[in-house]
Each structure stands twice: as structure tokens, then as C-alpha cells.
């Protein structure tokens, strides 16, 4: 078997570490794969300098423009580790269409272009591996796609974003949110612009990938009910921990509500959730990731590890390169399962947490409880911790399980009450 | 693609559940695999009665003697779920040699016949899948063999036996060991003869499989340093929890000590270990299993779930059948990595726990500490909780990290002291 020639696009921390490991572990990879991996080309804005720093031989082509990569002859597979969306999209689609295989860690690309990517791969009869796109070094995607594929996945709950989990961990210890973000940035756990992390969009992308894999049909990131952690205040954390015995985590959630009928019904969230302290996901601290899979036969499975960083991402990329290599050595035809029916979005009843800001006047609490009671929503806990400003005081409450549309109707009425501010925070409780 | 015709051997709880799920999920399996699974035959001592109970059509052959199975025409794969060793060994070896693929959950078979099975599969160009043999529904073997195969595995620590973990959980709560075993048997978590579980042999088999997979070369169960939980007494549990802040778990351990030189050096244990209470493995309760993998790039990964029971085992078997089906549909040639060099066994320094029984005479403690000190082993904690019988009192101590051969020399000298009984318990501390 001739060597498999790859081009690595993007020599940032993950790309550099991938190249380093491919060279350092080349003999062990060859033994496990049955052939050699040969780095034919690297592509990076600073390709020459990076190639020099990595000690690559002169035979490795250096490209600074990824648009030249699809035209490069003699490349079997492209390893895309550039990040971003537009440039990787062009590169990966062109490569797949030309029959080149692709390994990528790019969650945005997968989540936003799932269907296009599948079509391009089918057109080129090429293969696409993307384990590193969700939960870094944790092999959750292959587990869902292979080992658990004979089971029925009922739900997936994941702490999928290390940045926000680090911030929430510090906040649970009493640190101010802005200070927690600065600390994350100092440690290299948050980017200069952390918007996609804090807003939940990064988690939504990963939920989209998990949902598309589980249902066999693309669930767009925009279909994931997304809210970030910017609405989570220190008083929410304190109330959750001390009064409710719960911890707030940004959770990516996929629940398969029904498989009856032609189209499955799913519920997809990327939102902060109040988790019981005894739940295994509540113990996941700092920048760690964890995924809990609920399967009909296997029961609850949990996968835990580092979701980010050069090492874990490169480990997953190497696993993908190895899987690809084995497929090519074995002569296997690429799998081409037809997409399943698109899922419909549903919502299931759940308990809600609500923080309001109210004028400190007699009768406010009674007005709020009247609205909820009038719509048949029963209150579990209600708490008015005292004045927090010159005029408005917070009211925190949790409900017993309620239908989301009923809760939203109640919320609209509550926010229209004269003594209630429009400012508020809503989160769900994990049962 | 024509359907894949399988024979299921063994219709106990796992076999029956597998057949039930293969039928209930046939359409979803077909979609994910690209072809149908057809149950061509079942084999069981009570094959007719079981086939009737499972509602199998008359076209499914019923065999009561597994020796007839290899001669049966038109079978692509055998799913071996009989348990035991001799009959499955004959069936699986004959099937593989004839070019029939095999899916099995039989850990004893894998652990004790690893090399023979590999040779038979190579001879018949057939495939062998065995995810269910270790940690039931937790997809740990595929993770090690695929996703993590590009990484370097440094260690694997697993709670791999649900029966003993249930018993140790009850003992940590204060239940008497015999009562805990009876409770496990009542709940169907322990067999009538629990010898292989209690003695650590079952865990050693699983360590053997993990080690063979990680090193690429058969590590025999007899090479796994094995001691069961029968030496663990309630006073050990109490001392560990209250004085040391540790919990006793039966751990399967594989550590790769060195990869330098031609042969890797590994350390393999199936033994009770004192784990810090804050360690994630300490939180694994009841009959649950968990595996912690330490990889150079990915860092620490933990996999958690149900290690036993019909559902989890059948989930893993279905995953294997699906993987096999996909391989056959894709036309992939079976992988045939040559076995790696056989590992040499090593031992690394560690802290030890020792419980002695001593006559309550002045100077006993001093004699013990003198032996240890004389060999350069320093003591971390020493405790003499008071008389526990008419003559002998227990002494519990822990050491700082010591070389195992030095510790064993010290132990021999201590047990030869005049006032020390031969009865003793040694366990290791997880760092």
C-alpha cells in the first residue's frame, strides 16, 4: 500500500501540534494503519516560517493561500484546522467534490454546512471525519455513530464549552463574571472576542452536530433554542446552590421526544440549566467537558475529559486520520446512508427558574403568583432576598413542571405588571 | 446488497435481549447499515422453547448443540453469547477459521484465547468484534482501538466488575461483606457462584483484554497481578474513609511504564486499591462501571455507565453487529495488524496500605516500624485502633511511595516477627 498523502491547512496551535504528533508517532501510526502518512503540503498564512519552526523537510510544499490547495496534485486528504467559516468552507467543499477526503475540527463548518458537506462528499465519493469538532479529545461522535448506533438515543446532555464552564465554575465560587472572563482569557481558555462562547452559539453548533448525527438529518444551529450565560448573575448562582441545591451549567441538550410518525420530534437547547448538585454533570469543573448519553438499552453513559486545547484536539484529529487511513487501506467504499426525515422541533414540560426585578411595594408578589396560578402553573419555591438597588428588588422563583408555552404566556403577563421591570432571567431545571 | 445472515448462540438474558432488539430495531439497523440482518439460526439448550417464547418465525433454524453450528450452511456471522469457555472456544475458533465473522461478549474467551482467536481470524480472513466483553454498554474498546489509537495510552484504570463494586459500596456504608453478597445475589447482581468476581479473576480477564488491545500483544490473565476483595475487611473500609480520606475499589489497572527498547514495559493489576475520595472513580457506586484512560495528548478521559445487565450488553452487541454489517457492506478487507512485541511486566513504586494482626504487647509497633525504617520505607500513617479479639489487635499503616520488592521484603520480615500473626492485608494507594 502506498503512503497516504495529506495536506494540513492551518498551523495554529492545533495544526502545529497535529503535524508534530504525526511525525513523532509516525511509526506507531504506520503499524496501526498498515501504511504511512506522508505530509505532502502545509498551508498557512505563515507557512514557510511555521514549516521551518516545525522542522519540516523541503519536500513538504508550503502554501500561504488555501485556495491553491484543491488544485495541488497528489494529495489524498486535507486536514482542515484553519478555524473560521468562509475559507474552510470553500476548501473543504472543493476538496470533497474532487474526491479528496477531509478531516476537520471545525464545528462551525459542520454545524452550518452539514447538508452541503454531505452532498459534496457523496458527489466526490469522499470521506469526512470530524471527531474533534465536539468535545475535543472525548470520542463522543464515533461512540454515537458506531458503538451506540444499534441502540436508541433518547437524550444527550453535554457541557460542551470549556470557556463558559470555567467562568461558571469561578462564579459558583463567588467570583464576579467580568473577573472570571478576564481570568479565563489570561489562562488562554477564552478568546479575545468570547462572543460565540458566552452567547451559547458555540454550544448550539455542537448541539446541531450531535442532533444531526443522532437523527441522521441536519438540524440547523438556528433551530437550537439558544441563550448564553450573560444573563446569569451571581445572585442566580447563590440562590441555586444554597436554596435549591443546584448548580448552573451551560448545557447543550438534545432530547428525542418521539419517534412515532414519519418525522422524529426533538427538543434542542444550548442554555444555562439548573442541575442538581448530586448529578454527575454538576461535578464537571473548570474547562472540562462532559457528555451524558441516555440510550434505551445501554442506560446512562457519561464521557468526560478535556474539550479544548492543542493536545486533546490533536488527539482526536489523529484518531480521525488513523480511521481514514484504515478505511483507505481496507478498500472500503464510503458509507452513504440517505439522510433521515428532518426532525420536527418540540418542547417538553419542565420546571422553570425565573428572576424578576420588582418595585418594593406591597402586593407585587401576590400579583406575580396570581398570574402563575391563574394559568395553572404551580410554584415550587419563591424568594425575595431583599433590596438590591434604590428601587427594584429581585424576586426568584421556581415552578413545578409546566408547559413552556403556558409559562411564556405567564411571563408576558408578569412582565406587563405595573411594578415589574422588563429585566428578567429565565432558566430551566434539569429533572 | 444481500442480507447478512447471523446465528445467535446462547439465548440467556443477553442472547434473548439481543434477538428481541434485532427484530424490534431491524428497520433502523437496515438504514444505518445499508442492508438487513437476518436471523438464520439460534442455538441454545432450550432452543425450541426459547425461539417460541421470542416469537421467531419457523424459518429460523433451532439447534440445541453448538457443535452443529459451524457446519450450518448460509451463515455469515455467529453471535456467541453462551458464556463459559470450552464450548464457545470451539464454536468461535471453528467459525473464524471457516471465514465466518464473530461477535462475542465472552471476556473469558477473549482473555484466555486472544492469540488463538487472532490466528483463526487471520486464517479465515474473518472479523471478530467484542465490545461487550469489557464494561458492558460503555464503548471503551472501540474508543481505545479507533478514536484514541493515534494517541499514546499511558494508563487505564477501570472499575470493571459490577458485583464487587456493589459489595464494596454496601461495605463502605457499613454493611457486613456476607450480607452485601447476599443482597447482590437477591438483586441478580451476583451469580450463585461468585468466585470469579470476588477473586478478581473476572477483572483480570478484562485487564488482559484492555492490555492486549493497547499494546497490540497478548497479555495473559495469569500475568495480571490479581487479588480479590475477600481480604478487604470492614475495618479497612472505615480506616480508609475516616483516617485516609480514601475509598476502597476493586480496580483493573494497566500502566505503560516505558516504550523505550523493543518491548514495552507494563504494569497490570486486578486488585483493591485505596482511591482518594475526590477522585472521579471513588464516586462510582453500586453496580456501575467506569474506565479512566490517561493518554499523552488527550489527557484524562473518563467513561461511565452500566457494565452489566441484558440491556447494556445487548446494546454493545448490536453496535458490534452494526459495525460488522457496515464493514461487509463497504467491502473492506479485514485489518490484519501484526502483533506487537510482547510486553515485559514491570512494577512501579507506590504507597502501600498494610493491616497486621499483632499481640497486644509493648514494643510490637516499634519492631514493625524498625523493619520498615531499616529498609528505607517511610511510614505515612500508623494506627492501632484497639483490641478486636482476645489476643490479636489490628495495626493499620500506610507508607510513602516504596519499591514493591523492598516492601515485600519488609513484609516478609514483619510477618516473621514473634508477636505478629501471619494474617494480613496489603493494598496499594492510587497516587
Amino acid at each position: 500500500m502506498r503512503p497516504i498523502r495529506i495536506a494540513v491547512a492551518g498551523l495554529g496551535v492545533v495544526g502545529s501540534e497535529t503535524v508534530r504528533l504525526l511525525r513523532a508517532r509516525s511509526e506507531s501510526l504506520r503499524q496501526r494503519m498498515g501504511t504511512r502518512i506522508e505530509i505532502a503540503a502545509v498551508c498557512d498564512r505563515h507557512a514557510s516560517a511555521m514549516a521551518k519552526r516545525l522542522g519540516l523537510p523541503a519536500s513538504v510544499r508550503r502554501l500561504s493561500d488555501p485556495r491553491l490547495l484543491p488544485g495541488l496534485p497528489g494529495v489524498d486528504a486535507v486536514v482542515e484546522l484553519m478555524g473560521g467559516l468562509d475559507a474552510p468552507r470553500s476548501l473543504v467543499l472543493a476538496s470533497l467534490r474532487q474526491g479528496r477526503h477531509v478531516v476537520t475540527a471545525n464545528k462551525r463548518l459542520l454545524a452550518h454546512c452539514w447538508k452541503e458537506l454531505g452532498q459534496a462528499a457523496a458527489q466526490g465519493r469522499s470521506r469526512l471525519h470530524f471527531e474533534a469538532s465536539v468535545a475535543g479529545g472525548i470520542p463522543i461522535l464515533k461512540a454515537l455513530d458506531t458503538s451506540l448506533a444499534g441502540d436508541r438515543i433518547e437524550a444527550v446532555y453535554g457541557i460542551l464549552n470549556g470557556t463558559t464552564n470555567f467562568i461558571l465554575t469561578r462564579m459558583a465560587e463567588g467570583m464576579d463574571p467580568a473577573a472570571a472572563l478576564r481570568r479565563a482569557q489570561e489562562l488562554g481558555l477564552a478568546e479575545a472576542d468570547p462572543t460565540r462562547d458566552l452567547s451559547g452559539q458555540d454550544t448550539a453548533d455542537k448541539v446541531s452536530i450531535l442532533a444531526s448525527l443522532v437523527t441522521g438529518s441536519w438540524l440547523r444551529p438556528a433551530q437550537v433554542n439558544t441563550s448564553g450565560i450573560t444573563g446569569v448573575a451571581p445572585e442566580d448562582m447563590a440562590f441555586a446552590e444554597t436554596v435549591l441545591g443546584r448548580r448552573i451549567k451551560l448545557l447543550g441538550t438534545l432530547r428525542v421526544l418521539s419517534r412515532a410518525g414519519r418525522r422524529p420530534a426533538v427538543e434542542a437547547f444550548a442554555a444555562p440549566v439548573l442541575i442538581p448538585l448530586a448529578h454527575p454533570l454538576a461535578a464537571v469543573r473548570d474547562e472540562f467537558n462532559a457528555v451524558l448519553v441516555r440510550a434505551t438499552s445501554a442506560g446512562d453513559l457519561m464521557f468526560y475529559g478535556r474539550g479544548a486545547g492543542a493536545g486533546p484536539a490533536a488527539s482526536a484529529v489523529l484518531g480521525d486520520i488513523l480511521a481514514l487511513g484504515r478505511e483507505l487501506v481496507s478498500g472500503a467504499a464510503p458509507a452513504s446512508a440517505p439522510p433521515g426525515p428532518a426532525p420536527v422541533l418540540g418542547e417538553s414540560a419542565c420546571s422553570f427558574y425565573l428572576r424578576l426585578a420588582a418595585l418594593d411595594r406591597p402586593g407585587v408578589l401576590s400579583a406575580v403568583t396570581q398570574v402563575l396560578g391563574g394559568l395553572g402553573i404551580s410554584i415550587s419555591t419563591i424568594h425575595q432576598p431583599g433590596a438590591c438597588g434604590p428601587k427594584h428588588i429581585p424576586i426568584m422563583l421556581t415552578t413545578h413542571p409546566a408547559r413552556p408555552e403556558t409559562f411564556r404566556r405567564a411571563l408576558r403577563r408578569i412582565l406587563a405588571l405595573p411594578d415589574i421591570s422588563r429585566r428578567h432571567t429565565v432558566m430551566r431545571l434539569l429533572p
Side-chain angles (χ1 to χ4, degrees), chain A residues 59-365:
Chain A
S59 57
V60 176
R61 288 287 300 271
R62 280 92 162 142
L63 299 177
S64 55
D65 185 347
R67 287 171 300 182
L68 301 176
L69 208 46
L72 204 69
V75 170
D76 302 304
V78 172
V79 179
E80 186 278 302
L81 302 167
M82 299 193 290
L85 188 55
D86 293 338
R89 177 173 167 275
S90 306
L91 169 61
V92 170
L93 288 174
S95 302
L96 289 173
R97 288 192 189 116
Q98 288 177 25
R100 284 178 182 178
H101 313 295
V102 171
V103 171
T104 178
N106 194 324
K107 60 225 168 186
R108 269 182 86 184
L109 176 63
L110 262 298
H112 291 266
C113 312
W114 180 272
K115 200 171 170 182
E116 268 183 312
L117 292 169
Q119 287 165 343
Q123 190 184 327
R125 294 185 59 76
S126 41
R127 298 157 195 282
L128 178 60
H129 287 269
F130 49 92
E131 180 64 68
S133 64
V134 178
I138 308 174
I140 181 65
L141 299 186
K142 281 216 177 55
L144 288 172
D145 198 37
T146 60
S147 312
L148 290 167
D151 210 325
R152 271 197 206 290
I153 306 301
E154 297 176 3
V156 181
Y157 301 95
I159 293 175
L160 302 170
N161 182 278
T163 309
T164 47
N165 202 52
F166 179 88
I167 293 171
L168 292 173
T169 305
R170 293 291 84 77
M171 284 174 68
E173 294 165 355
M175 197 184 271
D176 169 64
L181 172 59
R182 276 197 307 277
R183 187 88 194 94
Q185 285 170 326
E186 282 161 18
L187 291 170
L189 298 171
E191 293 175 58
D193 176 5
T195 312
R196 292 190 58 78
D197 296 316
L198 301 185
S199 67
Q201 286 168 286
D202 177 78
T203 298
D205 285 352
K206 291 162 180 170
V207 171
S208 156
I209 296 171
L210 290 166
S212 304
L213 210 60
V214 166
T215 64
S217 176
W218 185 27
L219 187 93
R220 291 166 177 75
Q223 294 176 289
V224 179
N225 196 330
T226 305
S227 56
I229 66 162
T230 42
V232 180
E235 61 255 42
D236 299 321
M237 306 292 278
F239 179 74
E241 296 250 348
T242 56
V243 179
L244 303 175
R246 288 177 174 259
R247 189 160 287 160
I248 299 173
K249 294 286 187 189
L250 179 60
L251 223 59
T253 304
L254 169 75
R255 289 178 63 197
V256 180
L257 302 176
S258 122
R259 282 191 169 81
R262 212 183 63 84
R263 298 171 62 184
V266 303
E267 180 177 56
F269 279 96
V273 173
L274 284 77
I275 301 176
L277 287 175
H279 192 282
L281 287 173
V284 178
R285 290 171 54 83
D286 300 329
E287 72 274 25
F288 281 86
N289 282 20
V291 185
L292 191 148
V293 177
R294 182 161 295 159
T296 305
S297 297
D300 279 4
L301 296 167
M302 184 151 136
F303 302 77
Y304 169 90
R306 289 188 183 275
S315 171
V317 169
L318 253 67
D320 275 355
I321 293 175
L322 190 111
L324 173 64
R326 283 179 175 165
E327 287 166 352
L328 297 180
V329 169
S330 77
S336 61
V344 293
L345 290 169
E347 272 188 303
S348 56
C350 71
S351 297
F352 287 92
Y353 167 84
L354 172 62
R355 173 166 49 81
L356 298 165
L359 289 178
D360 190 9
R361 288 195 187 139
V364 171
L365 216 60

Side-chain angles (χ1 to χ4, degrees), chain A residues 361-385:
Chain A
R361 288 195 187 139
V364 171
L365 216 60
S366 142
V368 170
T369 55
Q370 246 176 15
V371 170
L372 290 165
L375 286 166
I377 297 172
S378 65
I379 293 169
S380 168
T381 312
I382 190 156
H383 189 59
Q384 211 174 285

